[in-house]
Amino acid sequence: MVRTFVGFLVGFVALLLVFVAAFALQGRGAREYAARVAREATGPGACREVARGVQSPPDMTRCEVRREGGTLVVQLSLESGRTYLARR
């Protein structure tokens, strides 16, 4: 009985760690893409126009480059509802 409980507990913790790792990798890819677009951008526009040939995150719903004052801002939105900003 105790062995079964410990098995379920270990399985639950392992499942949580898998979810955390998946979200961390997803966020890392999105941040790297936004940073690369920010480095290559020369003005406002769509990210795909700015960074041609760069693989975008598969769950990206919107990405745009805009100018705020003298700074270029890349705003990347994902299906999960998370948004990443990169400034240059």
Side-chain angles (χ1 to χ4, degrees):
M1 182 78 161
V2 172
R3 186 185 296 177
T4 303
F5 175 74
V6 170
F8 279 122
L9 186 62
V10 168
F12 179 74
V13 170
L15 186 63
L16 284 177
L17 291 175
V18 167
F19 279 120
V20 168
F23 285 131
L25 288 175
Q26 177 189 40
R28 180 179 176 195
R31 282 190 306 273
E32 287 177 357
Y33 179 76
R36 182 156 183 194
V37 170
R39 281 192 310 268
E40 296 181 13
T42 58
C47 292
R48 290 191 174 120
E49 295 170 6
V50 172
R52 293 183 191 273
V54 178
Q55 181 68 28
S56 63
D59 59 342
M60 181 178 76
T61 58
R62 188 175 64 118
C63 184
E64 66 178 357
V65 181
R66 65 179 187 273
R67 188 173 299 279
E68 290 181 358
T71 305
L72 284 176
V73 177
V74 177
Q75 182 174 358
L76 175 77
S77 300
L78 302 177
E79 290 176 357
S80 63
R82 293 190 291 174
T83 302
Y84 295 95
L85 296 174
R87 299 177 191 277
R88 180 182 67 98

